[in-house]
Amino acid sequence: MRVAHSMRGRLLWFLLAAIIMAALAQASIAYRSALYDADEIFDYHMQQMALSLRSGAPLANQQQQPPQTPADPANNDLVVQVWTPDGAQVYRSITRAELPQRAVLGFSNVQANGTTYRIFSVQTSSQTVQVAQDMAVRKRMAGSMALRTVGPIALMAPILMLVVWWVVSGSLAPVERVRKQVAARQADDLSPVSESGLPDEVQPLVRELNLLFGRVKTAFEAQQHFVADAAHELRTPLAALKLQVVSLERAGCDEARGVAVARLGAGIERATRLVEQLLVLARQEASAASGDLLQPVELGELVKRTLGDMAGAAQARQIDLGLHHLDPAGVAGQGDALLIMLRNLVDNALKYTPAGGSVDVELRAGAAGVTLAVEDSGPGISPEERERVFNRFYRVPGSAAGGSGLGLAIIKAIAERHGAKLVLEQSQRLGGLRVQVEFPAAALKA
């Protein structure tokens, strides 16, 4: 288990470290508290002992005591000395501790014999009493008291660590369950992951994962529909091409052969156009899914370029293609995609406009955004059909013009990717269809 990348490992190590640090802090606090209490208690006992030894009568002289009494090591912890007012020592505990032969009234600390003594001295009219205690005694007692306090904690620490491990493992069990659910899925299984029993911290992640599954499922379904529709649409022109090849083989004269060749060329051109439109639509949808970066684009330049490219086609169909109005306008977008959208707009208008008609392009910029419109003098589209024409491969019934039914689908995909609104309405000036692409103010470039 790699601790750096395992949430369970990190939690366990951090919690165990916190337990150990808390135990050490508790031991330190307990030792200091016990030492403070021991100092208070022993100072009180020393003070009471010294006061109890006070007497108005003088004690016997030290020379009257047996001079050869051996020192008891057990008496080294507590030493009592008594002096007369003239400085003669009249009493001293049997100990090997050598303390200074002077007294500082009250409490004081004295270094002697390689250790520190706590001394309390009190004076009366007839004597001076001094009680001294080795500070090591207090430290040993404080350590013993701290050990009795921390001992249960040290014994409970392993149990506490096991409890922490059990709690952490149990808390992360839902995450492991979700992992197993996802790992056991087939590649085409995009059903939502169960959110029951998940903690609040994990539910948002699983919810977003389910939303992602939903988006991927929608994309797969759209791709499947697209492939099915494309296969259906390609079947017709390919079948027509086969028939035209058969007609070419059966042509008995040059005139019939020429007609068959012309029909075959027209069929190839239609199939080529359909394949190109399919590739353009697939490329635009893939670009939208990948979230390509938008760049400043000057729409006016794209409009001029499109009119120049489509002028030959308009002239061949005897259609007046013109620029009705042009404002300088820039948007944040993808230049290649916008150029494809413009060409499809103009191409659709030319395709459905009869000979001798007109197609106009206008570009207007305002505070609310940029409006790009292409209108023609053709038959237009009835209001009940205006929503359906955005579907792939849909063609208005009874339309004389041929096509793949992908032009408006491509236009809609590019417009939506740029955050623009696509509106179909009747042209008030030319009488045909007016296709209007409205770019919001947020899409304008600086």
Side-chain angles (χ1 to χ4, degrees), residues 47-65:
Q47 186 177 14
Q48 292 302 314
M49 180 181 292
L51 294 177
S52 65
L53 292 175
R54 291 183 307 173
S55 173
L59 296 177
N61 191 281
Q62 186 182 21
Q63 279 73 16
Q64 297 176 359
Q65 297 180 8

Side-chain angles (χ1 to χ4, degrees), residues 57-79:
L59 296 177
N61 191 281
Q62 186 182 21
Q63 279 73 16
Q64 297 176 359
Q65 297 180 8
Q68 302 298 326
T69 303
D72 186 0
N75 293 338
N76 293 336
D77 295 341
L78 191 65
V79 180

